[in-house]
Amino acid sequence: MFCLTLIYLYVFEPEQSIRLQQKQKPNEPAPPPPAKKPRIEDLPTPTKKLSPESTPTVFFTGFEPAQVQQYIKKLYVLGGEVAECARKCSHLVANKVTRTVKFLTAMSIVKHIVTPEWLEESWKTHKFVDEQNFMLRDAEAEVLFSFSLEESLKRAHAAPLFKGKYFYITPGICPSLITMKAIVECAGGRVLSKQPSFRKIMEHKQNKVQLHRPHRRTKRSGDAGYGISLGWFDT
């Protein structure tokens, strides 16, 4: 069955939070430069060689670059790897639920979303420990966005959220088309390169996915005159 969704909205915050620039007072010292991102040549050689099925491939999100560098060094020594992309990610390490590119793509793919304590405990015991006692729990975010992270992961593992659904993403969307395409495809959806006709939209109107935000409102497509719900992804 062909299911179509049009997206016209700002969905989440970028990986690094945007901070407003404030005027610097004359006597105030200049702020320190941001920490450099870890370089591959700065990383130690792994001391353990694990089998592919037991090697964690990890994403980190919501941390300062200097902290990520320390985590990556420990991960490498233990025999783990940094994931090249969300599709190859088995573990997401985060302190809280965040609307970042990594979080929104990885949560449709990963087996585990854990806190940094999982890596620290693994470091202490010199091997990767069971993830169950270190699963991320963020009660504040779950109440704010009216969802259960645990249930969302179970649903993602059972069946991709957007499986069998097709999306057309309008030009000029924020975040970028590339970012939105990654989020949709990681959740099993497909992105159309061309906008479908009004007739095609109306044929499958009953199957569209509505995106909700705290204060709902609708906007009409200038091309097709089709009502679209605006808001956040709800998984």
Side-chain angles (χ1 to χ4, degrees):
M1 181 180 292
F2 183 92
C3 178
L4 177 68
T5 301
L6 280 78
I7 304 177
Y8 285 83
L9 62 149
Y10 176 82
V11 181
F12 61 94
E13 298 165 357
E15 179 68 23
Q16 295 295 333
S17 299
I18 299 174
R19 297 182 176 87
L20 297 177
Q21 297 291 333
Q22 297 180 348
K23 292 184 178 180
Q24 183 178 337
K25 295 181 180 179
N27 296 330
E28 285 186 351
K36 294 182 179 180
K37 292 185 178 181
R39 299 177 301 176
I40 296 299
E41 56 266 29
D42 294 333
L43 300 174
T45 303
T47 57
K48 294 183 178 181
K49 183 64 176 178
L50 304 177
S51 61
E53 59 272 13
S54 60
T55 300
T57 51
V58 183
F59 256 175
F60 297 92
T61 188
F63 303 102
E64 293 296 329
Q67 183 63 68
V68 173
Q69 185 173 21
Q70 295 302 313
Y71 288 152
I72 291 177
K73 287 181 179 179
K74 293 179 179 180
L75 177 69
Y76 267 61
V77 170
L78 289 167
E81 298 178 359
V82 176
E84 297 176 0
C85 62
R87 293 183 182 277
K88 297 182 179 181
C89 184
S90 65
H91 292 65
L92 177 66
V93 178
N95 268 327
K96 60 181 180 180
V97 173
T98 57
R99 289 177 290 135
T100 62
V101 179
K102 286 182 178 179
F103 203 105
L104 291 178
T105 53
M107 74 177 299
S108 297
I109 303 291
V110 297
K111 297 178 181 177
H112 309 283
I113 300 181
V114 295
T115 63
E117 285 69 30
W118 168 73
L119 187 57
E120 297 293 355
E121 187 63 26
S122 298
W123 179 256
K124 292 177 184 178
T125 58
H126 306 290
K127 63 179 181 179
F128 289 111
V129 298
D130 184 77
E131 298 88 356
Q132 194 59 42
N133 293 329
F134 303 95
M135 302 302 289
L136 176 65
R137 291 175 174 81
D138 189 343
E140 183 178 351
E142 293 186 26
V143 170
L144 179 62
F145 298 116
S146 301
F147 85 111
S148 165
L149 181 59
E150 183 179 0
E151 289 301 316
S152 294
L153 286 175
K154 288 180 180 179
R155 289 169 57 188
H157 294 162
L161 178 65
F162 294 148
K163 183 179 180 180
K165 296 180 174 62
Y166 293 76
F167 291 75
Y168 173 73
I169 303 175
T170 57
I173 190 172
C174 181
S176 68
L177 172 61
I178 293 176
T179 298
M180 287 298 302
K181 189 172 184 287
I183 294 173
V184 169
E185 290 181 343
C186 281
R190 293 181 60 184
V191 176
L192 303 177
S193 58
K194 295 182 180 180
Q195 182 172 352
S197 65
F198 174 66
R199 178 180 178 181
K200 179 68 70 174
I201 294 173
M202 297 310 294
E203 283 177 358
H204 304 282
K205 181 178 178 180
Q206 70 275 15
N207 293 322
K208 74 181 190 301
V209 175
Q210 292 188 339
L211 310 177
H212 305 296
R213 81 186 301 174
H215 299 287
R216 295 185 187 177
R217 58 192 178 92
T218 58
K219 180 178 180 179
R220 301 191 68 80
S221 167
D223 296 331
Y226 178 58
I228 313 289
S229 292
L230 303 181
W232 312 116
F233 277 110
D234 179 16
T235 53

